[in-house]
Amino acid sequence: MSDGKQKTNEKKENNFMLKVATFIVDRRNLFFLLFGIAIIFSLIASRWVKVENDLKKYLPDTAETSVGLKLMDEQFITYGSADVMVTNITLEEAKKINEILESRDDIYMVSFDESSEHYNNFSALYNITFSYPETDERAITALEDVQNELEGYDIYVSTTLGDQRAELVNHEMDIVSILVAVVVLTVLILTSQTYAEVPVLLITFGASALLSAGTNFLFGTISYISDSVTIVLQLALSVDYAIILCNRYKEEHQNLPVREADIIALSKAIPEIFASSLTTIGGLVAMMFMKFKIGPDLAMCLIKAIFLSLLSVFTLMPGLLILFGPWMDKTKHKSFIPNIPFVGKFDYHTRFFIAPLFVVIIVAAFLIQRHCPIVYGESLIETSIQNEVQIAEERIAESFGKSNVLALIVPAGNYETERKLLNELEKHPEVDYTQGLCNTEAMDGYMLTDMLTAREFSELMDVDYEVAELLYMAYAVNDENYAKIVNGFSGYKISLIDSVMFLYDEVEEGYVTLDSETEETLRDAYNKMKMAKEQLQGEDYSRMLVYLTLPEEGDETFSFLDQMHIIAGKYYDKDNVYVIGNATSDYDLKKSYETDSKVTSVISILAVLAVLLFTFLSAGMPVLLILVIQGAIWLNFAFPALEHKNLFFLSYMIVSSIQMGANIDYAIVISGRYTEERKYRLKKEAIIETLNFAFPTIITSGSMMILSGFFIGKMTSNGAISGIGESLARGTIISILLVMFVLPQILMVGEKIIEKTSFKFSSPIKLTRRFGTVRVDGLVRGHVNGTVVGTMHAIVKGEVNAVVTMGEMTGPVEEGDEESLTQDNPGLLPGDIVEMPSEEQTEISGEEGDDNA
């Protein structure tokens, strides 16, 4: 493509962007109105957002936990339950409290005895099962009534009823949001050049945040993680966009009035900001490919938030700049951010030392971070603060231990097979005890599924034998077991639970009459057995509970889960056996993570690489930038490995994607500016000027992300959210240090690599510009600002802006190396080089066609 065509295309593009910018600026009142309407709508629509608090719901549909949970919802009823610990009481007081609880109609069962499992160290533990399903609001009300009745005692409650955890996390994040707002305000004041630009930026941020929160209802239901961190991460990820436009405006306003400066700034900023956002979006897109659906959930929320931030910056902020422009002129102040030439000088003098050292460090970091202790549940995560629920669970665990219970689901229909399975499981040391219909005591030592003859049933229930015999005959007819009717009932047996429930139905329908005392006994037995059957036996499947002696997660636990499938496979088709519980959920998450972590890493790198390739038109530059940020990611997660601190797997994947997509912007700012500066300056001056230019942008954006992550990590009790905050803060600090103290050295040392891997289109006619001490060889036409030494061959110390039609132009060279320009031309001596005056320069120009000039 020729220079003429390039200029024509650039001119058309500039004209188009100018028209767009002019329309936005001149129609600012329209955009004010539209944003006002949208914000009001968002405030209303934010109430429509549904939040899911159970991470298990985001497992892949094919995961055992997902299939098992769906099956349990269809087949069984789970009644509300709670563990209530009362401390500082005697055993007699504990017994009285047990009597009070058992007398309540809204409580189905209370497990309490004098053993150490329920009374220990002046504390009593009551395992309460309510009379209502856990999804019934009456179960929550019953729990609140129990707490009110025990008011005055020191009590701790552990339960899955309600959304108490989510409510506590939301309250914590509200506090974090306020602190982050204070941080943003403080950082903007300290990094601004005019006080009036602060409200412009805050209004822009606030509008995009409200729009983001108000449009989440479009996704139907979002996770509590997305609901909690989206706004804070939105601010951290997109703050650069508004700052870029604001800085552009101030730059243009130095020579242009407010309106014209706003238009020009916007026309230049739109492509620049959009290109910057692509790297962040590219990192987030990687999360869309996670099998664990929390990744796509958070990615969609954040990508939408970034687009809304772009919309606010491009359409709302220009009008705000017009509105606040006069005040910005009146409230200028000295910048609080100093220049940092010492950093550039350090980078220049250490370029041959730091670059190879960095390679060694990131190789070590890569090897160390592979041993980062990743966990898949919150039971092994320590957070800086604890909420009421966590404190209660910890206190209960300290006094009575923590149970790890699993639900084993198998095809229904054979009580004897279930009994054999549970007996075999209880022989393993990993199993504390089991519970199912076949080993749950019903009455007088009989289990629910024990098989009884008519005589045994009559004696147990205290009914006439003739009534029991008629009952068994009716059951045989109902069961179409006609052989028993012919051969007699002496050896015919029915399970206790089936016979009691059948007798109750017959009494209710009026076919059987019992005395009042027997009927009361029957009714009480029926109610208990009905609840037990609803929880443990469905139409097609049976559910048994297995209490493990193992922790909730770990290699030993995961190994025994596989062993349970092998054991159950002896009795049932293994494809119809499901093991459900927190341990299984953690195991499923582990399997999902092993694939998702690789996929997200590769896709985030490829997405960012693609953006950088078209940004720099070089294969070497993107590789160097990604190497720096990927090194920062490895260093980030080497810290928890060295500290042996458990890290939630989701924190690792989310922060890896965000750090790659967002922190790469810092590297782009420095590398892009350095590339421009190197056209006119020596390495040392170029890197000093580059870091002076980039530091304010990096420190403004970076400090917001660091402090936001810090507050999230230190002020929330949720392990997943806390891990995201801590890792994000630590990762941003590392990224800033690397782009300030490592990337410059890599750019200086790797110049040749970048140049040789460039695939920029060359043009037949090239306008070459050099500044400094330059050697010119060949036939040239153009302008020379400086002192020329020589005739056909010249050394210029100044500025050369010329078309080289034959020969070459070399330089600039480092100070003190001017002699290298004369090595091939003995007619030119270093002493012939004359430096141009700084204020007044002589221009020597040749007219077109006058080659001798």
Side-chain angles (χ1 to χ4, degrees):
M1 182 183 291
S2 67
D3 283 346
K5 289 183 178 180
Q6 281 183 328
K7 291 179 179 180
T8 301
N9 290 338
E10 290 175 3
K11 186 175 180 180
K12 288 181 179 178
E13 183 179 350
N14 291 337
N15 287 338
F16 173 74
M17 294 310 303
L18 281 172
K19 290 180 180 178
V20 172
T22 302
F23 175 81
I24 293 173
V25 171
D26 290 344
R27 299 292 186 275
R28 55 188 177 276
N29 290 331
L30 172 63
F31 287 106
F32 287 157
L33 176 62
L34 293 176
F35 265 89
I37 296 172
I39 289 172
I40 293 173
F41 173 79
S42 296
L43 291 173
I44 298 173
S46 61
R47 303 176 183 177
W48 305 341
V49 180
K50 297 179 181 178
V51 179
E52 176 57 63
N53 300 307
D54 189 357
L55 289 182
K56 299 184 187 72
K57 300 293 181 65
Y58 291 92
L59 282 165
D61 294 335
T62 56
E64 182 177 16
T65 301
S66 299
V67 177
L69 288 174
K70 183 178 180 181
L71 198 62
M72 287 200 299
D73 288 340
E74 295 172 353
Q75 295 280 323
F76 312 104
I77 295 176
T78 301
Y79 284 85
S81 62
D83 291 339
V84 178
M85 183 177 76
V86 184
T87 62
N88 301 318
I89 58 173
T90 63
L91 179 59
E92 293 302 318
E93 289 177 305
K95 291 179 179 179
K96 291 180 181 179
I97 292 175
N98 182 54
E99 293 174 0
I100 294 173
L101 295 176
E102 286 183 333
S103 66
R104 293 183 61 90
D105 295 334
D106 50 12
I107 292 180
Y108 158 64
M109 182 176 64
V110 180
S111 295
F112 176 80
D113 53 39
E114 298 182 18
S115 68
S116 60
E117 294 181 357
H118 290 279
Y119 186 81
N120 182 31
N121 196 26
F122 296 101
S123 297
L125 178 65
Y126 306 93
N127 306 122
I128 300 174
T129 302
F130 295 101
S131 303
Y132 314 106
E134 63 180 1
T135 55
D136 194 324
E137 289 293 331
R138 290 178 296 178
I140 300 176
T141 302
L143 176 59
E144 293 173 350
D145 291 341
V146 168
Q147 290 175 299
N148 292 332
E149 188 156 7
L150 297 180
E151 187 176 2
Y153 291 100
D154 295 329
I155 65 171
Y156 298 90
V157 179
S158 174
T159 183
T160 58
L161 292 175
D163 294 327
Q164 188 177 5
R165 289 176 181 267
E167 292 171 0
L168 293 171
V169 170
N170 287 336
H171 176 68
E172 293 165 358
M173 290 306 298
D174 288 341
I175 297 175
V176 170
S177 298
I178 295 173
L179 290 174
V180 169
V182 174
V183 166
V184 170
L185 179 61
T186 304
V187 171
L188 290 179
I189 291 175
L190 293 177
T191 58
S192 66
Q193 294 175 331
T194 69
Y195 291 116
E197 73 185 60
V198 175
V200 173
L201 298 173
L202 290 178
I203 293 172
T204 305
F205 298 153
S208 59
L210 289 173
L211 292 179
S212 177
T215 52
N216 281 334
F217 77 94
L218 296 173
F219 300 130
T221 301
I222 63 174
S223 69
Y224 74 90
I225 291 179
S226 300
D227 184 58
S228 300
V229 303
T230 294
I231 291 180
V232 176
L233 291 181
Q234 176 188 9
L235 172 62
L237 293 173
S238 61
V239 65
D240 289 348
Y241 310 152
I243 294 174
I244 289 173
L245 177 56
C246 188
N247 290 340
R248 277 286 186 184
Y249 165 78
K250 289 183 291 187
E251 183 180 347
E252 297 296 335
H253 188 43
Q254 292 177 3
N255 301 312
L256 295 172
V258 171
R259 176 180 174 276
E260 286 72 11
D262 199 7
I263 292 173
I264 298 297
L266 181 59
S267 67
K268 292 180 179 180
I270 288 177
E272 181 181 354
I273 293 172
F274 189 72
S276 174
S277 70
L278 289 179
T279 56
T280 303
I281 294 173
L284 295 174
V285 165
M287 294 166 56
M288 299 285 291
F289 291 86
M290 289 171 56
K291 291 183 179 180
F292 186 42
K293 297 176 185 177
I294 200 73
D297 180 82
L298 181 57
M300 288 189 299
C301 290
L302 286 176
I303 290 173
K304 174 176 65 67
I306 288 174
F307 277 118
L308 290 172
S309 295
L310 291 173
L311 181 67
S312 297
V313 171
F314 291 157
T315 59
L316 175 64
M317 188 172 172
L320 295 174
L321 288 173
I322 294 288
L323 193 63
F324 285 85
W327 291 99
M328 291 173 65
D329 294 337
K330 297 177 181 179
T331 58
K332 291 181 180 179
H333 62 82
K334 183 180 179 181
S335 176
F336 297 106
I337 300 180
N339 287 332
I340 51 171
F342 58 91
V343 176
K345 293 177 182 178
F346 170 83
D347 291 345
Y348 175 75
H349 291 298
T350 59
R351 63 191 184 280
F352 296 115
F353 170 72
I354 293 294
L357 178 63
F358 172 68
V359 175
V360 175
I361 291 175
I362 64 170
V363 170
F366 169 74
L367 296 175
I368 294 173
Q369 63 88 35
R370 294 178 64 183
H371 301 286
C372 181
I374 301 295
V375 296
Y376 307 93
E378 295 187 34
S379 61
L380 299 179
I381 299 178
E382 295 182 2
T383 55
S384 298
I385 63 172
Q386 289 185 311
N387 58 42
E388 297 174 8
V389 175
Q390 292 170 324
I391 293 173
E393 291 177 346
E394 184 175 306
R395 291 294 301 272
I396 293 174
E398 288 174 355
S399 298
F400 299 99
K402 186 174 183 179
S403 62
N404 181 12
V405 59
L406 300 172
L408 176 60
I409 302 174
V410 298
N414 193 321
Y415 295 138
E416 186 60 28
T417 302
E418 292 178 18
R419 188 192 308 275
K420 291 179 181 178
L421 173 58
L422 293 183
N423 287 339
E424 182 172 351
L425 285 172
E426 288 189 339
K427 294 178 182 178
H428 288 263
E430 294 88 351
V431 177
D432 187 9
Y433 65 96
T434 63
Q435 183 180 0
L437 288 177
C438 59
N439 63 358
T440 298
E441 184 176 352
M443 304 171 64
D444 296 344
Y446 284 102
M447 302 300 166
L448 287 171
T449 60
D450 282 352
M451 307 300 289
L452 277 66
T453 63
R455 184 168 298 281
E456 290 170 332
F457 179 78
S458 68
E459 292 173 356
L460 177 66
M461 297 300 297
D462 195 23
V463 297
D464 293 338
Y465 174 71
E466 291 77 10
V467 174
E469 192 174 37
L470 288 173
L471 177 69
Y472 269 53
M473 182 181 295
Y475 188 91
V477 172
N478 187 67
D479 199 35
E480 297 183 357
N481 196 344
Y482 302 111
K484 294 298 180 182
I485 301 175
V486 177
N487 299 327
F489 291 94
S490 59
Y492 183 41
K493 293 184 177 182
I494 305 174
S495 67
L496 175 57
I497 186 172
D498 290 335
S499 58
V500 167
M501 299 190 77
F502 185 76
L503 175 59
Y504 179 83
D505 290 339
E506 295 296 297
V507 171
E508 287 295 299
E509 294 178 10
Y511 299 125
V512 176
T513 303
L514 302 174
D515 62 74
S516 59
E517 184 177 348
T518 304
E519 186 173 338
E520 182 65 26
T521 302
L522 173 65
R523 189 176 301 278
D524 183 61
Y526 170 81
N527 288 332
K528 292 182 178 179
M529 292 182 185
K530 176 176 177 293
M531 291 190 69
K533 189 170 185 178
E534 288 175 339
Q535 295 186 86
L536 300 176
Q537 184 176 1
E539 185 176 347
D540 304 307
Y541 286 87
S542 291
R543 177 167 61 176
M544 294 168 280
L545 303 180
V546 181
Y547 292 83
L548 303 183
T549 58
L550 300 171
E552 188 174 290
E553 70 171 287
D555 293 338
E556 188 179 1
T557 303
F558 296 155
S559 176
F560 187 70
L561 292 178
D562 293 332
Q563 184 67 20
M564 286 182 64
H565 281 279
I566 295 173
I567 295 171
K570 298 178 183 179
Y571 303 94
Y572 301 95
D573 181 358
K574 62 180 182 180
D575 293 332
N576 289 322
V577 174
Y578 304 94
V579 180
I580 311 300
N582 289 336
T584 311
S585 173
D586 296 344
Y587 195 20
D588 285 338
L589 291 173
K590 181 177 185 294
K591 296 175 184 176
S592 175
Y593 167 77
E594 291 171 351
T595 301
D596 287 342
S597 61
K598 297 175 183 177
V599 171
T600 54
S601 296
V602 172
I603 293 179
S604 63
I605 290 175
L606 291 178
V608 173
L609 180 62
V611 175
L612 295 181
L613 280 173
F614 288 100
T615 300
F616 292 102
L617 297 178
S618 167
M621 179 72 84
V623 171
L624 293 177
L625 299 188
I626 288 178
L627 179 66
V628 172
I629 300 303
Q630 186 62 56
I633 294 173
W634 290 335
L635 283 169
N636 186 11
F637 295 109
F639 277 88
L642 293 173
E643 296 171 354
H644 302 289
K645 183 178 181 180
N646 292 332
L647 180 69
F648 194 55
F649 79 102
L650 198 58
S651 304
Y652 182 95
M653 289 196 296
I654 290 175
V655 173
S656 295
S657 297
I658 292 177
Q659 192 173 350
M660 175 58 72
N663 292 171
I664 196 74
D665 285 348
Y666 306 155
I668 292 173
V669 170
I670 289 179
S671 56
R673 185 71 177 196
Y674 176 75
T675 302
E676 289 295 320
E677 292 294 333
R678 271 299 279 142
K679 295 178 181 178
Y680 318 116
R681 300 178 186 273
L682 304 177
K683 286 183 180 179
K684 184 176 181 181
E685 287 73 18
I687 201 62
I688 291 175
E689 183 62 28
T690 295
L691 294 181
N692 284 336
F693 167 80
F695 182 64
T697 301
I698 293 175
I699 198 64
T700 301
S701 172
S703 59
M704 289 184 186
M705 188 173 290
I706 291 168
L707 291 172
S708 298
F710 175 81
F711 285 128
I712 292 175
K714 297 299 181 183
M715 301 197 66
T716 179
S717 57
N718 181 273
I721 298 176
S722 176
I724 291 174
E726 289 182 358
S727 300
L728 187 62
R730 184 177 59 243
T732 303
I733 292 173
I734 294 172
S735 295
I736 291 176
L737 291 176
L738 291 187
V739 298
M740 296 296 291
F741 293 97
V742 175
L743 178 61
Q745 289 92 324
I746 292 177
L747 291 175
M748 287 185 280
V749 174
E751 271 190 355
K752 292 295 183 182
I753 298 176
I754 297 171
E755 182 180 347
K756 291 184 180 299
T757 57
S758 174
F759 50 87
K760 293 181 179 179
F761 297 104
S762 59
S763 58
I765 300 177
K766 183 178 180 181
L767 183 66
T768 305
R769 187 181 183 189
R770 294 287 188 269
F771 179 82
T773 303
V774 183
R775 174 173 176 168
V776 182
D777 292 292
L779 179 63
V780 300
R781 179 186 299 112
H783 298 271
V784 177
N785 294 327
T787 300
V788 179
V789 179
T791 53
M792 295 300 294
H793 305 281
I795 296 175
V796 180
K797 197 156 190 181
E799 180 179 354
V800 178
N801 189 8
V803 176
V804 181
T805 57
M806 186 175 66
E808 64 177 354
M809 183 184 300
T810 58
V813 300
E814 301 298 327
E815 185 176 354
D817 290 342
E818 292 90 344
E819 185 175 357
S820 64
L821 296 178
T822 69
Q823 290 176 353
D824 297 328
N825 194 333
L828 295 176
L829 301 175
D832 294 331
I833 302 171
V834 180
E835 186 173 0
M836 288 296 297
S838 59
E839 295 295 334
E840 298 179 359
Q841 295 185 345
T842 304
E843 181 181 276
I844 302 175
S845 61
E847 296 296 327
E848 186 174 354
D850 186 2
D851 294 339
N852 291 328

